Amino acid sequence: MFERTVGILEEFVETDGEITMDSALVDDLGLSSLEVIRLVAAFEDEFDIEVPDRIIPTLRTVGDIVNYLEENAE
């Protein structure tokens, strides 16, 4: 799941650094709040799930996304 998550993330961020489970979407990867919403939409399309709006603010790190997907994506 981590590799698939990073693959999608790489479409949204330009970083020469390594993306890890601890990478913060805003602070480390430089995503804006709008980009985070677009990122979530990409995950919804890729994994055929719907992420409730109330969950989006809790997705602060790559690990948060991976854990959410592992629990909710088929």
Side-chain angles (χ1 to χ4, degrees):
M1 188 66 69
F2 175 74
E3 291 80 18
R4 287 177 73 187
T5 302
V6 169
I8 294 169
L9 271 167
E10 288 175 338
E11 297 175 19
F12 287 84
V13 298
E14 294 180 22
T15 181
D16 293 330
E18 182 179 357
I19 297 175
T20 68
M21 291 285 281
D22 294 325
S23 296
L25 301 177
V26 174
D27 294 336
D28 296 331
L29 302 178
L31 294 174
S32 69
S33 56
L34 180 57
E35 290 169 323
V36 170
I37 292 170
R38 289 181 180 154
L39 177 65
V40 169
F43 286 119
E44 289 177 328
D45 290 343
E46 176 70 22
F47 294 97
D48 196 30
I49 62 170
E50 186 170 329
V51 178
D53 290 342
R54 63 180 169 73
I55 297 297
I56 295 172
T58 69
L59 303 175
R60 295 186 180 119
T61 67
V62 174
D64 293 339
I65 293 172
V66 170
N67 292 333
Y68 182 83
L69 292 173
E70 286 177 343
E71 293 173 6
N72 296 283
E74 296 180 15

